[in-house]
Amino acid sequence: MNNAQISEKIKRLAALLALLEENPFKIRAFEKAARIVKEHPEEMGILIDEDRLKHVKGIGETLAQHILYYAKSGSFAYEREIEAALPPGLPDLLEIPGLGVKKVHVLWKQHQIDNIDQLKQACLSNELSSWKGFGAKLEQQLLKGIAFKALHVKDFHLNVALQAAKIWKKKLRAIPSLKRFELTGQLRRGDTLIQSVDFLVEIDPTTLKSELISTLNLNPTGADPLLVMDTSGLPINLWLSDAHEFQTRQLILTAGSAYLNKIESSLDDLNLRQEQGRKIDFGGSAETEAEVCDQLGIQWIVPELRDAFDHFPAESTLIRPSDIKGVIHAHSSWSDGRNSLQELVEGAQRLGYQYLGISEHSQAAYYANGLQPERVRAQWERIDELNEQYPDFHIFKGIEADILSDGRLDYEENILAGFDFVIASIHSHFHLNQEQQTDRIVRALQSPFTTMLGHPTGRMLLGREGYCPNLPAIIDAAVEFEKIIEINSTPKRLDLDWKYLKNAREKGLKVSINPDAHGVEGMNSIPLGVTMARKGGLSPQDVINTMGVNEMARFLESRRS
């Protein structure tokens, strides 16, 4: 479990305690601990392994024991104790956008609503809109949130699935009779949201089941795949294979929609068509997927491409994480980030990057400590000092400027002109319709000060839908006005969605893979953005922050001329 997951769990504990009207000091202690865990520079897992967790200021021995239990079992025993004192469905209401602890408490105590079905009925009957503190607007928002939650009930963020896969690889290595195993399925393709972690394993089925029980104390269900559950709630599927058919099954299981159609067409030609995941038998034992493809008469392509492509130019080179030379879009403690500018610089250096594009929130984002003009100038001075202090590294002066409701950028022109780059982003007026949202974004792209568009849809995966602009029109405008669109690599965003990248690349769009980091640890999400870029078929030349520091400096200067 990473710090963000543990922090969310502790925040949930605080919310449950608030529903029970527990001691306010206790609640605040849990809320404070959640912030400490989220912002801590070291992973809790490392602190646990080195028995240092209880020494972290603000954690204490009792909470340290809760975290230790959670890290080992995937749940808090204390959480189960609290939930037992609440109606079974009440905690689920906290996950509906628009509902906080206070409103959930009112629903429960004043209106006897303690689960999502009851809430839905109260909304559908328009009863909720008549209650004090709710209203018709919130009623519709809650109905939308309930539908959104139902749509994604089985989904997990990509980073959560990757972390689970890492843990299960270690577990599978402990099984004595397991000859080999490989990640397969949607996680191997790098899907945006994941429903299961899948492994292809070479082992006798009976032996695997008994050794899962004896070695890992697990009780798997099913046959092919064998199913076990991760502590995160993710299903872990173990697909069975012998040596002869291993690569054939791997190809089918990782197929993806576009590539599967190509495979099935070839199988039809060979009279060997089968359903995805089923065993296929044809002559010869292949050592690699590429050999299977040769036998089928199709091109082997990397797994990430297989959702959108059935073939790919052999001479093209897909982008890799090592191609990224600098970090663009990062927030420091000057706005709502957790680390100082210097800490971000040193963190980026440790990760091997050559430069950092700092981009605090602008003044309109007062809730995120957005910078007023005098603070902008003060930060520029501090950046100049750091650039002298770190001669082998460079900080570019940027801003994440709010796109105002009419499409203007936050700040007057004399301030905007002083930045090395400007990320134009929407953080307000989500209620505007698609045409209005699209128009304001296009107007922002027309500004001579805009360098790139940030998180173009504003979506929060598993949290909320975006503001739904007309993305093809926005991509066309970005190409016309020679602007960049970011692939925001935050696991809860992954926005621009990879599904738009194939056509955008063909139109000549350039992108920047940006972590939107609010701390040093946020820079670690960049490889997720690279995965999205690979799914869209992007090469290093399509991504601006593959430029080295000198080339990037010239590029940004040319945009300001």
Side-chain angles (χ1 to χ4, degrees):
M1 300 293 173
N2 60 37
N3 287 4
Q5 291 171 279
I6 295 172
S7 174
E8 285 298 316
K9 273 289 186 181
I10 297 173
K11 278 175 60 180
R12 188 172 187 272
L13 281 174
L16 297 178
L17 289 169
L19 288 175
L20 287 173
E21 299 179 88
E22 280 277 358
N23 186 321
F25 293 102
K26 186 177 184 180
I27 295 167
R28 284 197 289 273
F30 274 84
E31 290 172 340
K32 181 180 178 182
R35 290 193 297 273
I36 290 169
V37 168
K38 184 176 181 180
E39 297 172 7
H40 201 277
E42 291 184 272
E43 287 294 330
M44 294 296 108
I46 295 173
L47 298 178
I48 289 169
D49 290 342
E50 298 178 0
D51 195 27
R52 293 190 288 124
L53 182 60
K54 61 188 176 186
H55 302 303
V56 175
K57 187 177 179 180
I59 296 293
E61 192 163 346
T62 300
L63 189 53
Q65 288 299 318
H66 288 313
I67 294 173
L68 177 61
Y69 186 90
Y70 177 59
K72 290 184 175 180
S73 68
S75 65
F76 282 108
Y78 189 40
E79 181 181 34
R80 293 197 296 272
E81 180 184 326
I82 300 169
E83 287 181 336
L86 294 167
L90 189 69
D92 294 338
L93 297 182
L94 294 168
E95 299 177 18
I96 304 298
L99 289 182
V101 172
K102 290 181 180 179
K103 276 192 163 49
V104 170
H105 191 269
V106 168
L107 287 170
W108 176 30
K109 292 297 186 180
Q110 296 184 21
H111 303 289
Q112 292 73 55
I113 287 180
D114 59 25
N115 61 58
I116 289 176
D117 285 340
Q118 290 174 350
L119 176 64
K120 183 177 180 180
Q121 289 306 312
C123 292
L124 290 172
S125 65
N126 301 126
E127 187 180 4
L128 184 136
S129 61
S130 67
W131 296 338
K132 183 180 179 180
F134 290 89
K137 184 176 179 180
L138 179 58
E139 188 175 74
Q140 291 306 307
Q141 181 185 346
L142 294 180
L143 279 172
K144 192 174 182 180
I146 291 168
F148 185 83
K149 178 176 170 57
L151 183 65
H152 293 289
V153 69
K154 295 183 179 181
D155 292 336
F156 291 80
H157 291 112
L158 177 57
N159 64 319
V160 173
L162 288 169
Q163 178 66 20
K166 182 179 179 180
I167 292 168
W168 277 91
K169 285 178 182 178
K170 185 176 180 180
K171 290 182 177 183
L172 290 175
R173 290 188 190 103
I175 296 176
S177 299
L178 190 59
K179 296 174 183 176
R180 63 172 162 170
F181 67 90
E182 292 179 3
L183 191 66
T184 190
Q186 61 178 177
L187 185 54
R188 186 172 177 235
R189 295 195 307 273
D191 283 1
T192 307
L193 292 170
I194 304 296
Q195 293 79 49
S196 63
V197 175
D198 296 83
F199 290 99
L200 181 62
V201 299
E202 183 187 338
I203 193 173
D204 175 79
T206 306
T207 303
L208 176 59
K209 196 165 188 175
S210 64
E211 290 189 353
L212 284 170
I213 296 170
S214 62
T215 306
L216 300 178
N217 196 28
L218 296 170
N219 188 21
T221 59
D224 188 16
L226 281 175
L227 170 65
V228 291
M229 297 301 293
D230 182 61
T231 54
S232 65
L234 258 169
I236 309 296
N237 290 322
L238 304 176
W239 298 87
L240 308 177
S241 177
D242 58 27
H244 176 80
E245 65 176 11
F246 191 91
Q247 295 299 339
T248 303
R249 295 211 75 193
Q250 177 64 294
L251 185 71
I252 299 297
L253 285 166
T254 316
S257 55
Y259 203 51
L260 181 61
N261 290 335
K262 187 74 171 179
I263 293 170
E264 288 180 339
S265 176
S266 178
L267 291 173
D268 279 340
D269 293 340
L270 298 170
N271 296 317
L272 289 168
R273 178 166 177 162
Q274 299 285 338
E275 295 301 319
Q276 185 176 16
R278 296 286 299 279
K279 298 180 180 181
I280 297 174
D281 185 24
F282 57 89
S285 179
E287 294 293 327
T288 65
E289 277 188 314
E291 290 182 21
V292 180
C293 291
D294 287 343
Q295 294 183 38
L296 291 173
I298 62 175
Q299 181 193 14
W300 181 88
I301 58 176
V302 299
E304 297 97 321
L305 290 171
R306 298 178 192 179
D307 283 303
F309 297 84
D310 61 16
H311 66 281
F312 196 72
E315 67 277 8
S316 296
T317 301
L318 288 179
I319 187 169
R320 299 170 299 175
S322 60
D323 293 320
I324 302 297
K325 298 299 187 290
V327 178
I328 297 175
H329 197 165
H331 303 266
S332 77
S333 53
W334 281 71
S335 61
D336 64 342
R338 293 181 288 278
N339 293 104
S340 68
L341 280 172
Q342 186 168 1
E343 287 169 338
L344 289 177
V345 167
E346 292 174 354
Q349 282 186 308
R350 286 195 299 272
L351 291 170
Y353 295 117
Q354 301 175 14
Y355 53 88
L356 170 68
I358 197 70
S359 51
E360 310 292 1
H361 286 288
S362 65
Q363 59 187 347
Y366 59 89
Y367 50 85
N369 196 27
L371 272 59
Q372 295 292 330
E374 63 273 14
R375 294 184 67 222
V376 169
R377 295 187 182 96
Q379 189 184 66
W380 288 348
E381 291 179 5
R382 177 58 179 151
I383 289 173
D384 288 339
E385 292 172 1
L386 288 170
N387 278 332
E388 288 186 14
Q389 186 176 342
Y390 295 88
D392 297 327
F393 190 87
H394 190 77
I395 308 171
F396 291 105
K397 301 168 184 173
I399 196 74
E400 185 178 17
D402 269 34
I403 300 175
L404 305 180
S405 60
D406 61 0
R408 289 181 298 115
L409 297 182
D410 204 4
Y411 297 125
E412 297 299 324
E413 289 189 0
N414 65 317
I415 294 293
L416 290 170
F419 293 108
D420 293 322
F421 69 96
V422 173
I423 301 173
S425 299
I426 285 179
H427 293 112
S428 62
H429 301 287
F430 290 178
H431 64 281
L432 299 178
N433 63 36
Q434 184 182 65
E435 183 178 358
Q436 291 169 323
Q437 296 287 19
T438 303
D439 285 347
R440 72 191 281 217
I441 293 173
V442 170
R443 285 197 292 274
L445 290 172
Q446 290 174 325
S447 168
F449 300 106
T450 297
T451 309
M452 71 182 72
L453 175 65
H455 44 71
T457 74
R459 72 181 184 185
M460 297 296 287
L461 295 168
L462 306 186
R464 69 170 185 233
E465 293 181 341
Y467 28 78
C468 302
N470 182 338
L471 280 174
I474 288 168
I475 289 168
D476 287 343
V479 172
E480 179 182 354
F481 301 118
E482 298 183 335
K483 307 298 183 181
I484 314 302
I485 295 182
E486 82 168 4
I487 299 175
N488 190 301
S489 65
T490 305
K492 292 183 179 181
R493 289 191 185 273
L494 298 179
D495 181 21
L496 183 66
D497 193 285
W498 65 266
K499 296 180 182 69
Y500 292 92
L501 292 175
K502 181 180 179 181
N503 289 333
R505 179 179 185 266
E506 292 170 355
K507 292 179 177 182
L509 179 74
K510 299 294 184 183
V511 305
S512 183
I513 297 175
N514 299 345
D516 196 353
H518 286 70
V520 172
E521 75 285 350
M523 299 179 195
N524 293 321
S525 74
I526 288 176
L528 299 183
V530 173
T531 296
M532 298 303 108
R534 287 171 65 86
K535 289 181 74 64
L538 301 194
S539 69
Q541 292 73 34
D542 300 313
V543 181
I544 66 164
N545 50 333
T546 59
M547 297 179 188
V549 61
N550 293 329
E551 186 181 3
M552 176 59 76
R554 290 192 296 270
F555 173 80
L556 293 178
E557 180 62 33
S558 71
R559 314 288 291 191
R560 299 169 62 203
S561 312

